[in-house]
């Protein structure tokens, strides 16, 4: 068993599957875009807004932040910068959410959002040492008609290499998840992969509905999964991944007081395919490299554990099989190179 230093974990190659474009935006960029678009904040620096004591409060701040995003170029910029920041934290592959629901209600067309997000992604692919794909998240509290409209828009995009899937976010409480069946079925028929935020601030039944009724192939958060032993066994057996965001669950949704109390390690020990993710790194000022360090320290994980968690991200991703194989080869070679450079024992086997 090898101990992992913070510097080593920061440089470890990573996959990230749960990260929101809007929540990853730099506070300084949001401030510049707000000034450009004539949007006034209640504070001078949006970073001062980023204090939340509940998911509801977080989402109302998200609304204020999204009001600064008005043109395709605004979305291009935040998407590109989010990927730049991801690359600096060791991300080699990311599937990233964008949530048009917040700006649609302010009058920005979904086409404008997509044009910008797509351009930012393609520029990042050209310039940075990483690949990424996008997942369109609909806003659950806005209801099933919005969900279907987003599924139809996502299907119309056609280019599955860029827009790979559909997801859903915002609060769960008081939201009937079964009502999204039509939207998810439409997305599935059109070849979009499916995921959903479930079991974050809502009950474990939402996870059951997602995997048994909605055809979801991944669960975002899944924090309360262990409340249902049979469902936990089912997810482990079907290897349905959870995109876990431990720090977000502490600082945004306040589900657990600290990472040591988070069920991540117990979910992993139960055989569930768990991955580590940052959720909203801009708004939390905490990126996936910080998250790797926090997880390793909270559970006493070795470098071997953290390398295995990094590889689990490849398994859980929606990259094509040949890209997954290439990522795995690259990651193993980077693991070896980092161990040699930082004076650690070679990997076993
Ligand atoms: N949108 C951005 N972050 C979110 C979270 N943690 N839960 C639900 N919706 C979100
Ligand atoms: Zn999220």
């Amino acid at each position: 068993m090898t101990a992992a230093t913070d510097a080593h974990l920061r440089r470890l190659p990573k996959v990230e599957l749960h990260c929101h474009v809007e929540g990853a935006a730099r506070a300084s960029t949001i401030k510049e875009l707000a000034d450009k678009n004539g949007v006034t904040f209640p504070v001078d620096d949006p970073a001062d807004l980023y204090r939340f004591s509940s998911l509801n409060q977080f989402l109302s701040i998200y609304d204020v932040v999204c009001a600064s995003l008005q043109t395709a170029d605004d979305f291009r910029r935040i998407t590109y910068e989010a990927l730049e920041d991801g690359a600096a934290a060791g991300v080699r592959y990311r599937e990233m959410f964008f949530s048009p629901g917040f700006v649609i209600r302010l009058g920005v067309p979904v086409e404008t959002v997509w044009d910008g997000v797509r351009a930012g992604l393609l520029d990042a692919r050209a310039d940075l040492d990483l690949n990424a794909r996008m997942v369109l998240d609909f806003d659950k509290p806005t209801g099933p008609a919005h969900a279907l409209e987003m599924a139809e828009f996502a299907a119309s995009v056609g280019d599955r290499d860029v827009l790979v899937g559909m997801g859903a976010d915002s609060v769960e409480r008081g939201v009937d998840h079964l009502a999204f069946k039509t939207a998810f079925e439409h997305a599935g028929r059109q070849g979009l992969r499916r995921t959903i935020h479930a079991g974050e601030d809502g009950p474990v039944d939402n996870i059951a509905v997602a995997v048994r009724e909605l055809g979801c192939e991944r669960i975002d958060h899944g924090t309360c999964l262990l409340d249902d032993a049979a469902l936990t066994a089912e997810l482990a057996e079907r290897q349905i991944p959870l995109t876990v965001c431990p720090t977000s669950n502490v600082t945004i949704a306040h589900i657990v007081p600290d990472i040591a109390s988070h069920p991540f390690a117990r979910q992993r020990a139960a055989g569930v395919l768990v991955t580590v993710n940052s959720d909203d790194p801009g708004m939390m000022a905490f990126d996936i490299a910080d998250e790797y360090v926090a997880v390793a320290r909270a559970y006493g994980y070795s470098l071997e554990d953290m390398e295995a968690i990094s590889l689990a991200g490849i398994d859980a991703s929606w990259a094509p099989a040949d890209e997954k194989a290439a990522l795995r080869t690259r990651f193993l070679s980077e693991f070896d190179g980092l161990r040699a450079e930082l004076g650690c024992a070679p990997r076993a086997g």
Side-chain angles (χ1 to χ4, degrees):
M1 178 174 134
T2 313
T5 63
D6 292 9
H8 198 146
L9 292 171
R10 178 153 279 277
R11 291 179 61 194
L12 213 60
K14 302 170 188 77
V15 166
E16 184 159 39
L17 304 174
H18 187 156
C19 180
H20 300 258
V21 165
E22 304 84 355
R26 297 172 190 163
S28 55
T29 297
I30 292 297
K31 167 75 176 140
E32 278 181 41
L33 296 179
D35 290 347
K36 170 178 82 73
N37 292 325
V39 173
T40 313
F41 275 117
V43 290
D44 284 341
D45 181 352
D48 292 336
L49 282 174
Y50 297 162
R51 297 182 223 292
F52 4 87
S53 54
S54 69
L55 181 57
N56 272 305
Q57 195 189 30
F58 169 81
L59 290 167
S60 61
I61 296 169
Y62 214 83
D63 245 333
V64 177
V65 168
C66 287
S68 332
L69 305 170
Q70 297 184 3
T71 68
D73 196 61
D74 298 344
F75 283 94
R76 183 205 57 76
R77 179 171 171 188
I78 63 163
T79 304
Y80 185 88
E81 290 180 355
L83 290 167
E84 207 171 33
D85 293 344
V91 175
R92 306 280 184 261
Y93 179 80
R94 188 190 262 172
E95 285 160 15
M96 200 164 194
F97 301 125
F98 68 107
S99 306
F102 289 87
V103 292
I104 288 178
R105 47 182 179 253
L106 301 173
V108 180
V110 63
E111 291 80 5
T112 301
V113 180
W114 175 242
D115 285 350
V117 166
R118 180 172 181 279
L121 167 62
L122 295 180
D123 286 354
R125 275 185 181 175
D127 295 351
L128 307 172
D129 183 19
L130 101 179
N131 194 18
R133 294 186 168 83
M134 287 292 156
V135 176
L136 189 159
D137 262 14
F138 65 81
D139 181 60
K140 288 189 276 179
T142 306
H146 162 70
L148 185 56
E149 194 190 322
M150 291 299 101
E152 284 169 347
F153 175 77
S156 77
V157 166
D159 187 356
R160 298 282 172 271
D161 186 50
V162 181
L163 184 59
V164 70
M166 186 178 80
D169 59 33
S170 293
V171 290
E172 290 170 73
R173 280 187 209 152
V175 175
D176 172 13
H177 285 54
L178 202 49
F180 303 124
K181 196 171 167 80
T182 309
F184 274 111
E185 280 177 353
H186 183 69
R189 274 196 304 273
Q190 300 298 318
L192 289 156
R193 310 299 296 264
R194 290 161 287 177
T195 186
I196 190 167
H197 282 53
E200 182 190 22
D201 74 322
V204 70
D205 285 358
N206 288 347
I207 303 176
V209 166
V211 300
R212 292 176 185 159
E213 306 288 342
L214 304 180
C216 289
E217 304 151 75
R218 265 194 332 232
I219 295 294
D220 302 313
H221 291 294
T223 318
C224 67
L225 174 66
L226 299 176
D227 289 354
D228 183 333
L231 187 63
T232 303
E234 182 178 335
L235 263 65
E237 149 79 23
R238 294 171 63 189
Q239 287 290 280
I240 295 176
L242 299 186
T243 65
V244 182
C245 310
T247 300
S248 161
N249 290 163
V250 174
T251 63
I252 295 180
H254 294 264
I255 301 168
V256 283
D258 50 36
I259 298 188
S261 329
H262 192 284
F264 178 89
R266 284 177 287 127
Q267 291 171 335
R268 183 166 181 257
V272 180
L273 178 46
V274 283
T275 61
V276 169
N277 305 271
S278 69
D279 207 1
D280 297 288
M283 292 181 72
M284 297 196 308
F286 203 83
D287 66 20
I288 189 172
D290 299 320
E291 199 75 56
Y292 266 55
V293 171
V295 162
R297 300 295 162 253
Y299 307 123
Y301 282 160
S302 64
L303 178 58
E304 289 76 16
D305 288 317
M306 298 311 297
E307 289 171 342
I309 286 170
S310 162
L311 294 175
I314 301 176
D315 296 337
S317 81
W318 293 333
D322 56 345
E323 192 174 330
K324 284 189 181 192
L327 277 170
R328 178 171 277 276
T329 303
R330 176 181 179 177
F331 276 31
L332 293 176
S333 135
E334 287 198 47
F335 293 165
D336 291 342
L338 277 173
R339 281 173 177 254
E341 184 187 330
L342 300 172
C344 299
R347 278 185 308 117

